[in-house]
Amino acid sequence: MRARRQLVLRVGAAGLGLLLLAGCTDDQRQPGEPVTEDDAAVLAELLHLNHEEGGADFVVTVPFADDAVLTLTGQIDFRRQVGQAQAVTVVGGEDRDTRTLFFDRDDLWAGDVPGLAEALAADGAPEAAYLRRTLSAGEGEPPLLDVVVQVLQNLAAERPDRPAAFLDGPYRWQGEQAVDGRPATVYRLRDERTVAVDDSDRTLVQYRTPLGGVEVTVTLAEHGTRRLALPTAEETAEAADHPEIAEAFGI
């Protein structure tokens, strides 16, 4: 199980980290101004609020090559660190790959890929529809999909941070914008990261971070309790037991 780190120090695989945010608005404020004490109080509760709310719907977009975009659309239970998503890779405006994903703190399941169930049945797993593998621990160059999953999982914390921690450092008020029609306050963080926080309920609605030459954008909505079920043992085959199939299907 991964250790839970506080927001100010959070730096997950491939540079995940530092999710800060939000606060009051003022017509006289200018982009680039330091956060105020009121902002700091909101920042300190942000990831804790995600945990308290329980979960959220999400859309993650990652342009990772020329004319190529990975999009994950799904739900996450922040308390259990369990999620499910539809992953679509579009290249040159055309869908090239679509699959269903599930994940928890340790593992990733992939299925609903044409031909996968048939290949597993021929390889001795007649009831399996999903392949499961261990999520990368972050050493070396983890797969992009693993980094995206860990970005999502790092958007919640069991305890709030100290407000004072946000009053020093590069944290800046950046302005106002609408995210999916919701008025939000945007803050600039370290290393070109930004967050947008809902002006009405102070929930995190968008997080952007550059990672290894690409930008990951996470948009959250409909915060609240989620009850998500992972694939059963009967539906699951281990990628380690079917390495050729896992490689052939990009799992």
Side-chain angles (χ1 to χ4, degrees):
M1 183 177 294
R2 297 184 179 85
R4 179 59 55 197
R5 290 164 288 176
Q6 286 191 321
L7 178 61
V8 179
L9 300 179
R10 191 184 301 269
V11 202
L16 310 181
L18 293 178
L19 314 171
L20 317 170
L21 36 93
C24 60
T25 61
D26 186 330
D27 291 341
Q28 304 304 312
R29 297 184 80 174
Q30 298 298 317
E33 290 187 5
V35 298
T36 66
E37 290 187 0
D38 287 342
D39 296 327
V42 176
L43 301 177
E45 283 287 344
L46 186 69
L47 300 190
H48 182 238
L49 182 58
N50 270 351
H51 183 271
E52 291 298 295
E53 290 284 340
D57 294 347
F58 65 79
V59 177
V60 182
T61 57
V62 189
F64 63 92
D66 291 341
D67 295 325
V69 179
L70 171 66
T71 301
L72 272 64
T73 304
Q75 303 178 70
I76 184 169
D77 177 344
F78 283 126
R79 294 175 183 168
R80 295 170 56 223
Q81 298 290 286
V82 170
Q84 66 180 49
Q86 192 79 5
V88 178
T89 301
V90 174
V91 180
E94 298 182 0
D95 289 3
R96 294 293 180 86
D97 185 88
T98 300
R99 58 189 60 196
T100 298
L101 304 177
F102 292 86
F103 57 83
D104 63 11
R105 291 180 174 92
D106 303 307
D107 297 317
L108 177 77
W109 288 254
D112 286 342
V113 183
L116 176 61
E118 292 79 4
L120 289 172
D123 203 34
E127 297 183 30
Y130 293 89
L131 272 177
R132 178 174 63 187
R133 64 168 175 80
T134 301
L135 281 169
S136 170
E139 294 86 358
E141 296 185 8
L144 177 60
L145 191 57
D146 295 40
V147 174
V148 169
V149 166
Q150 290 163 354
V151 167
L152 282 164
Q153 292 174 328
N154 278 323
L155 289 174
E158 294 181 3
R159 293 176 296 277
D161 291 299
R162 295 182 304 107
F166 299 95
L167 296 176
D168 294 322
Y171 316 125
R172 297 292 184 267
W173 183 87
Q174 197 65 19
E176 298 287 331
Q177 74 175 51
V179 178
D180 289 343
R182 301 165 66 184
T185 301
V186 180
Y187 286 82
R188 176 167 50 85
L189 315 177
R190 297 180 188 272
D191 303 323
E192 304 303 319
R193 298 180 179 94
T194 64
V195 291
V197 182
D198 191 295
D199 287 340
S200 62
D201 61 15
R202 297 297 188 250
T203 55
L204 177 64
V205 293
Q206 194 167 81
Y207 170 58
R208 296 176 181 266
T209 179
L211 290 174
V214 303
E215 183 176 73
V216 177
T217 300
V218 180
T219 303
L220 301 178
E222 301 297 330
H223 293 71
T225 301
R226 296 294 188 278
R227 295 286 184 265
L228 305 177
L230 296 168
T232 65
E234 291 74 21
E235 296 174 301
T236 300
E238 299 296 329
D241 295 336
H242 306 273
E244 293 183 358
I245 294 176
E247 181 177 1
F249 285 89
I251 301 169

